[in-house]
Amino acid sequence: MPDPFADLLLRLRQDAGRTQEEQADAINAVSGRDTMTRREISRYENFENIPTNHTIGHIAAACGVPFEELQREAKAARARKRKGYANAGEDQDAVKRRTLLGGAAIGVSSAAEPWGRLAFVLSKGSKIDSPSAVALIDRAAELHVQELNLSARRLQSTVESHLDAITAALPRAGEHERALTIAAGETAALAGWVAWDLGEHDKADAYYKVTSQCAATAGHPPLRALALTYSSYGASTPKAKLEFLSQAASDVRGHGNATAAA
């Protein structure tokens, strides 16, 4: 019979609306390495293998659930596997396991979306090395350039994957936390613009809101200006558009904001 932990991993993937291949891709996006495969996901879900704590961290970030809770369940599963025990009856721990998703800090529906995982980690403290932080920040800028040449459909998964990568890095950001938060907001804003271009207006609004949250967390008004400018395209009236753009213009005044102003 399947182990409760294997069942938990299966439900995490299903609640995120992913195939096994898509789950592997999401984990690879978080880890920054192309090492996870559909076959390995299958082995986890069939209790043929249990992920290492390192991989557990990537799975937790990819699914938007607390690392410590998932790590605890993996430890219990390893103990059961050593004893050759696999879910022989319903105990209190198994009941707790079934409620892990419902008790997650961001909830099931938003856990399946990159903006939900970003909102979750924004509240965390932090270390990521300088080269890694610079690479994430530069990549966020590159995506805005790619937007000029790629269709929204082709760009969407790339942007959302990068947002996941920054999201995974934020709890370990240390001295780079503010710069990475700004890069996360820039990426989220672009993800919103791409979603709006694809007609996914509710999704776009969610991205713009978390962009503004990044701006507030980082104390960086030009980032809010980016969200407001993108949002103005979807405003219902000319007056509302003008209000968004007027606030955006105010947010980019001052030294060092020439690019944002442009």
Side-chain angles (χ1 to χ4, degrees):
M1 295 178 65
D3 183 84
F5 182 68
D7 180 60
L8 173 59
L9 293 179
L10 171 63
R11 289 185 296 112
L12 282 170
R13 175 176 65 79
Q14 290 176 336
D15 285 334
R18 298 179 183 135
T19 65
Q20 289 181 338
E21 186 171 0
E22 288 169 340
Q23 181 75 335
D25 288 342
I27 294 169
N28 285 333
V30 169
S31 70
R33 302 175 63 190
D34 192 22
T35 54
M36 184 59 62
T37 65
R38 183 208 63 78
R39 171 59 182 154
E40 193 61 25
I41 297 297
S42 176
R43 293 180 68 195
Y44 294 155
E45 294 178 359
N46 286 293
F47 204 49
E48 297 172 16
N49 198 7
I50 298 173
T52 65
N53 285 339
H54 186 67
T55 301
I56 286 291
H58 298 150
I59 294 173
C63 295
V65 296
F67 166 71
E68 291 80 8
E69 293 187 34
L70 202 59
Q71 182 186 41
R72 185 185 65 238
E73 299 306 331
K75 181 178 179 181
R78 291 188 192 102
R80 288 192 299 274
K81 198 170 184 68
R82 283 195 298 270
K83 295 177 182 178
Y85 170 74
N87 195 28
E90 185 81 2
D91 58 17
Q92 190 60 34
D93 284 342
V95 173
K96 290 179 181 178
R97 234 167 264 123
R98 295 180 188 278
T99 62
L100 173 61
L101 283 174
I106 57 176
V108 178
S109 60
S110 61
E113 299 291 351
W115 71 76
R117 293 191 287 278
L118 176 57
F120 174 64
V121 301
L122 281 172
S123 63
K124 303 297 179 183
S126 352
K127 282 178 170 140
I128 188 170
D129 58 34
S130 294
S132 296
V134 170
L136 288 169
I137 292 166
D138 288 349
R139 177 62 170 157
E142 289 171 8
L143 290 172
H144 279 269
V145 176
Q146 287 188 19
E147 190 267 332
L148 300 173
N149 302 309
L150 295 179
S151 67
R153 183 64 65 190
R154 287 184 61 191
L155 192 60
Q156 188 174 47
S157 62
T158 302
V159 173
E160 291 185 342
S161 292
H162 187 61
L163 184 58
D164 269 340
I166 299 179
T167 297
L170 268 171
R172 301 178 291 111
E175 63 183 297
H176 308 290
E177 183 173 1
R178 183 173 185 269
L180 280 177
T181 299
I182 293 171
E186 291 171 344
T187 306
L190 181 58
W193 175 245
V194 169
W196 186 84
D197 198 29
L198 292 170
E200 300 170 348
H201 296 163
D202 289 344
K203 191 174 184 178
D205 287 341
Y207 276 125
Y208 296 149
K209 286 177 182 176
V210 82
T211 299
S212 295
Q213 186 181 349
C214 287
T217 300
H220 190 64
L223 181 55
R224 182 174 65 167
L226 182 59
L228 287 167
T229 303
Y230 280 143
S231 296
S232 71
Y233 284 84
S236 57
T237 66
K239 181 180 179 181
K241 292 176 188 288
L242 182 59
E243 290 175 351
F244 283 158
L245 293 173
S246 296
Q247 179 61 59
S250 176
D251 284 341
V252 297
R253 290 196 181 102
H255 177 72
N257 297 327
T259 301

